[in-house]
Amino acid sequence: QVQLVESGGGLVQAGGSLRLSCAASGSIFNINAMGWYRQAPGKQRELVAAITSGGYENYADSVKGRFAITMSRDNAKNTIYLQMNSLKPEDTAVYYCNLRYSGLISWGQGTQVTVSS
């Protein structure tokens, strides 16, 4: 059973920073990639950033230069971090952790990020 535990969301003023983390544990073999998606009210879920097991990073155009994704491995846990700088009100959304492994996909429960103007 796979578990994704997210943390780090919250309320921040425009121009501020937040750091999200997502720890994956359980019966995980052959991780392909982990990443963050977000969904704002009334909008579709969209990719924010992803990183493959080989370290290749992919970012949405709207966050390039402001967000950075990293991955760490510690014993049985794989953790990804999303450092979000220069936050804008349009970054407000629920952020979901995503894990792709062995042809399967798992999602975290989401963490709210709110950026006030």
Side-chain angles (χ1 to χ4, degrees), residues 44-103:
Q44 287 190 327
R45 191 173 296 190
E46 62 176 0
L47 172 69
V48 177
I51 184 167
T52 68
S53 58
Y56 176 78
E57 300 168 26
N58 185 34
Y59 296 93
D61 288 342
S62 61
V63 306
K64 282 180 181 176
R66 299 189 297 122
F67 292 10
I69 189 169
T70 55
M71 178 187 283
S72 68
R73 297 182 182 88
D74 180 14
N75 293 327
K77 272 190 183 177
N78 293 274
T79 304
I80 58 169
Y81 304 91
L82 185 67
Q83 179 66 42
M84 305 186 294
N85 299 324
S86 302
L87 283 160
K88 304 176 181 180
E90 50 263 44
D91 294 318
T92 295
V94 178
Y95 284 68
Y96 296 90
C97 179
N98 171 276
L99 166 67
R100 297 175 185 266
Y101 66 107
S102 303

